[in-house]
Amino acid sequence: MHPSTTAALSLRRYGASRGSHAHDHFQILVGLDGVLELEVEGRGRRVGAGDGWVVTPGERHDFESRAGSRCLVLDTAQDLWAQCAGRSPMAPQLLSLARYLALCVTQAPPPAAALHHAPALLLEAWGPSVPNGRRRTIDWPALAAWAQAHWHRPLSVADLAAVACLSPSQFAQRCRDEQGMAAMQWLRSQRLQQARQLRSSGLGAAETARRTGYRSPSALTAALRQR
């Protein structure tokens, strides 16, 4: 599996057959039952129910489970996980969260909202993402580009927070601190800015409204005039 900016959640069973590999993305393991024996770059680690571990890109790791075990596994390229490497998750509710997400993975079709927010929830379970009170910079241009690619559906603060790997409350506060406005106000300003650019390039009102998620050309016109 080679994720880029996306994350993949899966439920995996491990047995007595010893495996060994490395990959170019982060792999987050959360134990559901049984015990998974890990050896990461020569260091031993046991992942039991409610335990978790972060395997970083390029780390060769051996794994086996003599009595069998199950783990919730997140494969992701999100580099915030680098700050969680080498330490166990802090949240006592991790096992309950992992069991819920494992249930979601097995449903057909799986609940889209649960899987969408799973990476941020698991990251939060590891505790503060940056030590000593320092905060990771939010890539606002990249976040704006992501929003522009998703105007076809309603977007919420929780959606933006999940992309930034923050909780909704953390993201809302960061938006007020760094952008000087509420998160939904920032989102509306991004949509309006793109609509204005499209109209300035000569695109018709109907097509601009369709591309930027306004319900009608008249709603777009009203928003532009109000602005």
Side-chain angles (χ1 to χ4, degrees):
M1 186 178 300
H2 299 281
S4 54
T5 57
T6 59
L9 195 68
S10 60
L11 178 61
R12 302 187 190 177
R13 297 180 182 274
Y14 296 90
S17 297
R18 190 175 181 85
S20 179
H21 60 219
H23 30 64
D24 59 2
H25 56 270
F26 291 95
Q27 186 169 83
I28 294 83
L29 300 158
V30 181
L32 294 169
D33 50 56
V35 176
L36 175 65
E37 302 282 352
L38 281 177
E39 186 176 309
V40 183
E41 297 292 349
R43 302 185 305 273
R45 181 73 190 179
R46 291 166 57 89
V47 179
D51 296 330
W53 197 250
V54 178
V55 180
T56 60
E59 283 188 327
R60 171 65 59 178
H61 50 288
D62 301 337
F63 51 92
E64 67 176 326
S65 180
R66 294 183 179 87
S69 64
R70 290 190 312 148
C71 289
L72 184 73
V73 178
L74 176 70
D75 290 296
T76 177
Q78 173 54 258
D79 59 6
L80 269 176
W81 282 102
Q83 301 168 32
C84 301
R87 60 187 178 93
S88 300
M90 298 175 64
Q93 303 88 354
L94 178 64
L95 182 56
S96 296
L97 172 62
R99 284 175 173 167
Y100 168 69
L101 293 176
L103 180 63
C104 292
V105 168
T106 61
Q107 292 180 0
L115 299 190
H116 177 69
H117 296 297
L121 292 172
L122 289 170
L123 183 64
E124 201 170 58
W126 253 256
S129 58
V130 183
N132 302 324
R134 291 175 293 144
R135 300 191 299 181
R136 174 183 171 81
T137 301
I138 295 175
D139 190 340
W140 292 102
L143 187 60
W146 179 87
Q148 289 177 9
H150 292 81
W151 292 139
H152 60 280
R153 64 181 181 86
L155 296 179
S156 66
V157 175
D159 293 321
L160 298 174
V163 174
C165 281
L166 295 170
S167 70
S169 60
Q170 289 173 328
F171 179 81
Q173 185 60 55
R174 292 286 296 276
C175 194
R176 286 191 291 268
D177 292 345
E178 299 176 20
Q179 298 297 313
M181 62 184 78
M184 288 306 295
Q185 184 181 358
W186 178 84
L187 188 62
R188 287 192 294 269
S189 73
Q190 295 302 311
R191 184 167 68 150
L192 194 61
Q193 178 180 331
Q194 187 186 17
R196 184 182 296 111
Q197 291 171 346
L198 292 175
R199 291 292 284 136
S200 297
S201 70
L203 196 67
E207 181 61 16
T208 298
R210 186 189 70 79
R211 291 191 186 184
T212 53
Y214 285 92
R215 64 180 181 276
S216 67
S218 59
L220 167 64
T221 302
L224 291 170
R225 286 175 178 170
Q226 184 178 17
R227 183 70 174 182

